[in-house]
PDB file of all heavy atoms in Angstrom:
ATOM      1  N   LEU W 262      36.988  80.387-126.125  1.00 95.00           N
ATOM      2  CA  LEU W 262      37.993  81.438-126.307  1.00 95.00           C
ATOM      3  C   LEU W 262      37.853  82.065-127.694  1.00 95.00           C
ATOM      4  O   LEU W 262      37.653  81.364-128.690  1.00 95.00           O
ATOM      5  CB  LEU W 262      39.401  80.856-126.158  1.00 95.00           C
ATOM      6  CG  LEU W 262      39.835  80.452-124.741  1.00 95.00           C
ATOM      7  CD1 LEU W 262      41.199  79.774-124.783  1.00 95.00           C
ATOM      8  CD2 LEU W 262      39.873  81.666-123.818  1.00 95.00           C
ATOM      9  N   PRO W 263      37.961  83.396-127.789  1.00 93.00           N
ATOM     10  CA  PRO W 263      37.857  84.054-129.099  1.00 93.00           C
ATOM     11  C   PRO W 263      39.021  83.676-130.007  1.00 93.00           C
ATOM     12  O   PRO W 263      40.137  83.418-129.549  1.00 93.00           O
ATOM     13  CB  PRO W 263      37.882  85.546-128.740  1.00 93.00           C
ATOM     14  CG  PRO W 263      38.488  85.624-127.379  1.00 93.00           C
ATOM     15  CD  PRO W 263      38.134  84.359-126.685  1.00 93.00           C
ATOM     16  N   SER W 264      38.762  83.661-131.298  1.00 89.00           N
ATOM     17  CA  SER W 264      39.761  83.206-132.274  1.00 89.00           C
ATOM     18  C   SER W 264      40.999  84.093-132.309  1.00 89.00           C
ATOM     19  O   SER W 264      42.089  83.634-132.668  1.00 89.00           O
ATOM     20  CB  SER W 264      39.128  83.152-133.668  1.00 89.00           C
ATOM     21  OG  SER W 264      38.607  84.432-134.020  1.00 89.00           O
ATOM     22  N   GLU W 265      40.856  85.371-131.920  1.00 90.00           N
ATOM     23  CA  GLU W 265      42.016  86.276-131.997  1.00 90.00           C
ATOM     24  C   GLU W 265      43.133  85.899-131.024  1.00 90.00           C
ATOM     25  O   GLU W 265      44.255  86.395-131.135  1.00 90.00           O
ATOM     26  CB  GLU W 265      41.594  87.730-131.754  1.00 90.00           C
ATOM     27  CG  GLU W 265      40.869  87.983-130.455  1.00 90.00           C
ATOM     28  CD  GLU W 265      39.358  88.000-130.639  1.00 90.00           C
ATOM     29  OE1 GLU W 265      38.865  87.306-131.553  1.00 90.00           O
ATOM     30  OE2 GLU W 265      38.684  88.705-129.870  1.00 90.00           O
ATOM     31  N   PHE W 266      42.843  85.033-130.078  1.00 92.00           N
ATOM     32  CA  PHE W 266      43.901  84.579-129.170  1.00 92.00           C
ATOM     33  C   PHE W 266      44.838  83.583-129.843  1.00 92.00           C
ATOM     34  O   PHE W 266      45.883  83.234-129.298  1.00 92.00           O
ATOM     35  CB  PHE W 266      43.298  83.942-127.914  1.00 92.00           C
ATOM     36  CG  PHE W 266      42.746  84.937-126.926  1.00 92.00           C
ATOM     37  CD1 PHE W 266      41.739  84.578-126.051  1.00 92.00           C
ATOM     38  CD2 PHE W 266      43.235  86.233-126.865  1.00 92.00           C
ATOM     39  CE1 PHE W 266      41.221  85.485-125.134  1.00 92.00           C
ATOM     40  CE2 PHE W 266      42.732  87.154-125.959  1.00 92.00           C
ATOM     41  CZ  PHE W 266      41.721  86.782-125.093  1.00 92.00           C
ATOM     42  N   GLY W 267      44.453  83.098-131.012  1.00 91.00           N
ATOM     43  CA  GLY W 267      45.312  82.162-131.732  1.00 91.00           C
ATOM     44  C   GLY W 267      45.378  80.786-131.100  1.00 91.00           C
ATOM     45  O   GLY W 267      46.385  80.085-131.212  1.00 91.00           O
ATOM     46  N   ILE W 268      44.296  80.404-130.437  1.00 94.00           N
ATOM     47  CA  ILE W 268      44.247  79.098-129.769  1.00 94.00           C
ATOM     48  C   ILE W 268      43.041  78.327-130.298  1.00 94.00           C
ATOM     49  O   ILE W 268      41.915  78.825-130.262  1.00 94.00           O
ATOM     50  CB  ILE W 268      44.144  79.260-128.243  1.00 94.00           C
ATOM     51  CG1 ILE W 268      45.370  80.006-127.715  1.00 94.00           C
ATOM     52  CG2 ILE W 268      44.020  77.903-127.554  1.00 94.00           C
ATOM     53  CD1 ILE W 268      45.255  80.438-126.278  1.00 94.00           C
ATOM     54  N   ARG W 269      43.290  77.149-130.801  1.00 95.00           N
ATOM     55  CA  ARG W 269      42.216  76.319-131.351  1.00 95.00           C
ATOM     56  C   ARG W 269      41.951  75.169-130.379  1.00 95.00           C
ATOM     57  O   ARG W 269      42.855  74.392-130.066  1.00 95.00           O
ATOM     58  CB  ARG W 269      42.627  75.784-132.719  1.00 95.00           C
ATOM     59  CG  ARG W 269      41.545  75.010-133.453  1.00 95.00           C
ATOM     60  CD  ARG W 269      41.945  74.805-134.911  1.00 95.00           C
ATOM     61  NE  ARG W 269      41.015  73.926-135.608  1.00 95.00           N
ATOM     62  CZ  ARG W 269      41.195  72.622-135.746  1.00 95.00           C
ATOM     63  NH1 ARG W 269      42.279  72.053-135.239  1.00 95.00           N
ATOM     64  NH2 ARG W 269      40.315  71.883-136.395  1.00 95.00           N
ATOM     65  N   VAL W 270      40.712  75.079-129.913  1.00 96.00           N
ATOM     66  CA  VAL W 270      40.366  74.075-128.900  1.00 96.00           C
ATOM     67  C   VAL W 270      39.236  73.198-129.423  1.00 96.00           C
ATOM     68  O   VAL W 270      38.224  73.701-129.915  1.00 96.00           O
ATOM     69  CB  VAL W 270      39.933  74.742-127.574  1.00 96.00           C
ATOM     70  CG1 VAL W 270      39.727  73.684-126.490  1.00 96.00           C
ATOM     71  CG2 VAL W 270      40.962  75.770-127.117  1.00 96.00           C
ATOM     72  N   GLN W 271      39.413  71.894-129.305  1.00 96.00           N
ATOM     73  CA  GLN W 271      38.380  70.946-129.730  1.00 96.00           C
ATOM     74  C   GLN W 271      38.173  69.881-128.653  1.00 96.00           C
ATOM     75  O   GLN W 271      39.121  69.472-127.982  1.00 96.00           O
ATOM     76  CB  GLN W 271      38.786  70.256-131.038  1.00 96.00           C
ATOM     77  CG  GLN W 271      38.766  71.157-132.259  1.00 96.00           C
ATOM     78  CD  GLN W 271      39.149  70.387-133.514  1.00 96.00           C
ATOM     79  OE1 GLN W 271      40.224  69.795-133.584  1.00 96.00           O
ATOM     80  NE2 GLN W 271      38.265  70.378-134.499  1.00 96.00           N
ATOM     81  N   GLU W 272      36.926  69.438-128.517  1.00 97.00           N
ATOM     82  CA  GLU W 272      36.654  68.294-127.649  1.00 97.00           C
ATOM     83  C   GLU W 272      37.145  67.034-128.345  1.00 97.00           C
ATOM     84  O   GLU W 272      37.060  66.917-129.571  1.00 97.00           O
ATOM     85  CB  GLU W 272      35.159  68.190-127.366  1.00 97.00           C
ATOM     86  CG  GLU W 272      34.620  69.345-126.535  1.00 97.00           C
ATOM     87  CD  GLU W 272      33.127  69.247-126.320  1.00 97.00           C
ATOM     88  OE1 GLU W 272      32.378  69.398-127.306  1.00 97.00           O
ATOM     89  OE2 GLU W 272      32.722  69.001-125.167  1.00 97.00           O
ATOM     90  N   THR W 273      37.644  66.088-127.560  1.00 97.00           N
ATOM     91  CA  THR W 273      38.183  64.878-128.169  1.00 97.00           C
ATOM     92  C   THR W 273      38.063  63.698-127.216  1.00 97.00           C
ATOM     93  O   THR W 273      37.687  63.847-126.054  1.00 97.00           O
ATOM     94  CB  THR W 273      39.662  65.087-128.573  1.00 97.00           C
ATOM     95  OG1 THR W 273      40.107  63.982-129.350  1.00 97.00           O
ATOM     96  CG2 THR W 273      40.558  65.231-127.343  1.00 97.00           C
ATOM     97  N   ARG W 274      38.388  62.533-127.732  1.00 96.00           N
ATOM     98  CA  ARG W 274      38.456  61.303-126.936  1.00 96.00           C
ATOM     99  C   ARG W 274      39.844  60.707-127.120  1.00 96.00           C
ATOM    100  O   ARG W 274      40.474  60.886-128.163  1.00 96.00           O
ATOM    101  CB  ARG W 274      37.402  60.291-127.393  1.00 96.00           C
ATOM    102  CG  ARG W 274      35.971  60.754-127.173  1.00 96.00           C
ATOM    103  CD  ARG W 274      35.529  60.510-125.754  1.00 96.00           C
ATOM    104  NE  ARG W 274      34.216  61.089-125.479  1.00 96.00           N
ATOM    105  CZ  ARG W 274      33.437  60.703-124.486  1.00 96.00           C
ATOM    106  NH1 ARG W 274      33.828  59.735-123.689  1.00 96.00           N
ATOM    107  NH2 ARG W 274      32.281  61.287-124.267  1.00 96.00           N
ATOM    108  N   ILE W 275      40.280  59.988-126.112  1.00 95.00           N
ATOM    109  CA  ILE W 275      41.591  59.340-126.163  1.00 95.00           C
ATOM    110  C   ILE W 275      41.387  57.827-126.103  1.00 95.00           C
ATOM    111  O   ILE W 275      40.680  57.320-125.228  1.00 95.00           O
ATOM    112  CB  ILE W 275      42.486  59.796-124.992  1.00 95.00           C
ATOM    113  CG1 ILE W 275      42.648  61.323-124.997  1.00 95.00           C
ATOM    114  CG2 ILE W 275      43.840  59.099-125.055  1.00 95.00           C
ATOM    115  CD1 ILE W 275      43.353  61.891-126.205  1.00 95.00           C
ATOM    116  N   THR W 276      41.986  57.114-127.032  1.00 94.00           N
ATOM    117  CA  THR W 276      41.853  55.657-127.045  1.00 94.00           C
ATOM    118  C   THR W 276      42.715  55.041-125.944  1.00 94.00           C
ATOM    119  O   THR W 276      43.590  55.702-125.371  1.00 94.00           O
ATOM    120  CB  THR W 276      42.292  55.078-128.398  1.00 94.00           C
ATOM    121  OG1 THR W 276      43.716  55.251-128.536  1.00 94.00           O
ATOM    122  CG2 THR W 276      41.584  55.776-129.550  1.00 94.00           C
ATOM    123  N   ASP W 277      42.473  53.766-125.666  1.00 90.00           N
ATOM    124  CA  ASP W 277      43.296  53.068-124.674  1.00 90.00           C
ATOM    125  C   ASP W 277      44.748  52.983-125.113  1.00 90.00           C
ATOM    126  O   ASP W 277      45.644  52.777-124.298  1.00 90.00           O
ATOM    127  CB  ASP W 277      42.746  51.657-124.429  1.00 90.00           C
ATOM    128  CG  ASP W 277      41.421  51.687-123.678  1.00 90.00           C
ATOM    129  OD1 ASP W 277      41.134  52.715-123.031  1.00 90.00           O
ATOM    130  OD2 ASP W 277      40.673  50.690-123.741  1.00 90.00           O
TER     131      ASP W 277
END
Side-chain angles (χ1 to χ4, degrees):
L262 289 175
S264 57
E265 56 263 29
F266 284 154
I268 299 169
R269 185 167 173 266
V270 186
Q271 290 181 303
E272 293 178 292
T273 189
R274 295 278 173 159
I275 303 296
T276 69
D277 290 340

